[in-house]
Amino acid sequence: MDAELPLAGRHAVITGASRGIGAAIATRLAGMGAQTTLIGRDRRALERQASGDRNARAVVCDVTDPVEVERAFAEARERMPIAILINNAGAAESAPFQKTSDAMLERMLAVNLGAAFRCARAALPSMIETGWGRIVNIASIAGLRGYPYVTAYVAAKHALVGFTRALAMETARKGITVNAVCPGYTDTELVRNSVATIVAKTGRSESEALHELIRHNPQARLIRPEEVADAVAWLCGPGADSITGQAIAVAGGEIM
Ligand code: NDP
């Protein structure tokens, strides 16, 4: 193994790779030598992210659509067997519980849980065949503790952590590890949208709204997407063979 490029010859599929945390993970894994397939719905954003890396391919796919997932993963497998899957695509909608509709619950479960479930099912055969695989689910600290006004999101992310643990047990003797990385509030469009929602609904200023989000983080700051990518890189790298079924918080000590 090339110590500088420990993922050379490995194919990593990253969902939600067009921006934010997913883009940082794609860049980090590519820097370790991986061939990457970047999945998302916005072709232009994906192609922008893939440009400049001749080992990156963009595949347009809505991961909540089972037929599109089958097609996208068939395309990815055709290129090269899948060794690494990063289930990162996700979304966070907020509402008081009494105003949380069935439709919002379905949306949160579809993108944060169902998509990871199906993508893992589509990627696993390659990993079993080669006897090596890494699955990392980007959950959230909302997968480890409760927060108000995001019951559907919190429920979906807790379910994703449960899925991670169960699949880790099932694949433990196959050379495959399955872990969750649980970021605290991270500096991406998702958080910028949350700040905008708080401003619109409460009349607070942007800095007050941001303070509301980061006040539980002992480091009193947003996490950087690259910090989440570093945790993922460690889980996919050569030193983490015995780490499986874990839910690792990257949250400045917000949860202990
Ligand atoms: P962004 O909103 O910045 O990016 C989300 C990414 O997911 C985009 O690339 C988007 O691309 C893609 N995506 C969303 N829905 C779909 C879909 N149905 N099919 C395919 N791709 C999709 O979010 P973040 O980078 O902030 O979040 C990434 C993950 O990290 C999410 O799972 C989120 O829950 C989690 N997380 C984020 C935190 C934060 O504070 N930012 C904190 C804790 C966890 P496109 O729209 O083009 O499809």
Side-chain angles (χ1 to χ4, degrees):
M1 192 212 309
D2 182 339
E4 301 266 294
L5 298 172
L7 298 182
R10 305 245 194 242
H11 179 195
V13 176
I14 302 109
T15 71
S18 61
R19 61 174 188 264
I21 293 171
I25 293 169
T27 302
R28 187 74 168 81
L29 298 184
M32 294 165 78
Q35 309 273 325
T36 57
T37 293
L38 316 185
I39 287 182
R41 292 167 301 181
D42 180 342
R43 177 179 298 281
R44 283 176 70 179
L46 273 182
E47 286 177 350
R48 203 178 315 123
Q49 175 62 24
S51 68
D53 177 4
R54 63 189 173 85
N55 294 324
R57 297 277 180 289
V59 175
V60 175
C61 165
D62 180 340
V63 291
T64 64
D65 181 329
V67 176
E68 283 194 32
V69 168
E70 274 307 311
R71 178 201 40 79
F73 277 75
E75 192 178 328
R77 282 193 305 265
E78 208 165 291
R79 183 181 164 206
M80 200 176 163
I82 299 167
I84 296 169
L85 169 65
I86 313 298
N87 281 313
N88 165 77
E93 292 182 48
S94 61
F97 175 61
Q98 295 286 73
K99 291 188 177 164
T100 298
S101 62
D102 286 357
M104 187 192 287
L105 176 61
E106 293 301 326
R107 283 195 298 276
M108 289 300 93
L109 289 171
V111 71
N112 294 302
L113 174 67
F117 211 93
R118 288 195 193 90
C119 292
R121 210 166 44 202
L124 211 52
S126 292
M127 300 179 186
I128 292 171
E129 208 174 304
T130 58
W132 194 93
R134 297 285 175 266
I135 297 176
V136 182
N137 297 322
I138 306 303
S140 168
I141 40 169
L144 301 172
R145 52 157 290 192
Y147 291 87
Y149 309 119
V150 277
T151 47
Y153 180 70
V154 166
K157 289 298 192 183
H158 271 69
L160 182 59
V161 170
F163 165 59
T164 302
R165 292 175 176 148
L167 188 61
M169 292 293 279
E170 204 165 318
T171 56
R173 297 186 183 194
K174 295 183 167 68
I176 298 166
T177 67
V178 187
N179 290 287
V181 167
C182 300
Y185 285 110
T186 305
D187 192 6
T188 70
E189 199 170 305
L190 186 144
V191 153
R192 287 189 281 279
N193 291 339
S194 300
V195 167
T197 303
I198 294 171
V199 168
K201 292 206 169 143
T202 66
R204 290 184 206 173
S205 69
E206 254 183 47
S207 71
E208 284 169 338
L210 184 61
H211 176 75
E212 181 59 29
L213 298 183
I214 62 175
R215 76 190 164 93
H216 297 294
N217 177 337
Q219 295 181 341
R221 65 177 179 91
L222 290 175
I223 306 299
R224 287 181 294 108
E226 293 74 20
E227 294 178 292
V228 182
D230 280 344
V232 172
W234 171 64
L235 288 168
C236 296
D241 289 0
S242 64
I243 314 300
T244 195
Q246 302 305 302
I248 298 168
V250 179
E254 182 157 349
I255 195 158
M256 294 183 180

